[in-house]
Amino acid sequence: MKKELSAKDRDALIEIVHRRFAKHMHRHKGITWDDVLVRLEKNPKAIHALQAMEETGGEPDVIERDKKTGAIVFYDCAEESPKGRRSYCYDYEALMSRKEHKPKHSALEAAAEMGIELLDEEQYKFLQQFGPFDNKTSSWVRTPDAVRELGGAIFGDCRFGRIFIYHNGAESYYAARGFRGRLVV
C-alpha cells in the first residue's frame, strides 16, 4: 500500500468515497458529506487508512457517528469479505504457531498496519442491518480474550437471511475468509 498519496490520488480517493456515500444514504442518516469531509481533512492518517481499505477491496462507507465524540465511523461495506484480505489466520501468535503452509498474514496485524480495527461481534451484527454482507464468504471478528486463550477465534457470515457467528482454530485460514474493519475519524 502506498505510504504517501499525491494530491491527485487523494482527490480521486475522496471522490470514490463521496460517490459511495451518496449512493448509500440509508447507511448514514443524519450525517452529511460536509461532516465527513471536515473530519477527513483534519486527519491525514485517516486518508491513508481509507486508501488501504479501498485498495484491499473493502469499499469503506460511513455507517455511524459516535454519539459522545461526534467521530465519523467508516466500515468495510464490500458485499463479500474484502478480496485483498483473505486467506489470513487470526493473529500473529496463530501465524507463528503454523509449522508449514503458513498464510501470508494475520487479520489483526494486517488491520493494525492499515490503521483500522477488526469489527467485534456486535459491530459485525450492526453492519448486517445495512447488508446483507458475507453471503458467500466469512470474516474474522475480534475475538474475546477468553476464547483466544483457549486457541480459538471467531468469525461471522450471513446465510439464509441470518447472521451466524462461529468458531475456528485461530491458526486456520481459508480462501473465502477475510476480515472487515472500521475506521473512526
Side-chain angles (χ1 to χ4, degrees), residues 135-149:
N135 282 306
K136 298 175 186 168
T137 59
S138 61
S139 295
W140 286 116
V141 175
R142 198 166 59 236
T143 299
D145 291 342
V147 173
R148 186 62 194 99
E149 288 167 6

Side-chain angles (χ1 to χ4, degrees), residues 39-54:
R39 291 241 173 214
L40 288 174
E41 288 175 346
K42 290 180 180 178
N43 192 337
K45 286 183 179 180
I47 298 289
H48 289 285
L50 272 179
Q51 179 69 20
M53 292 171 86
E54 190 67 35

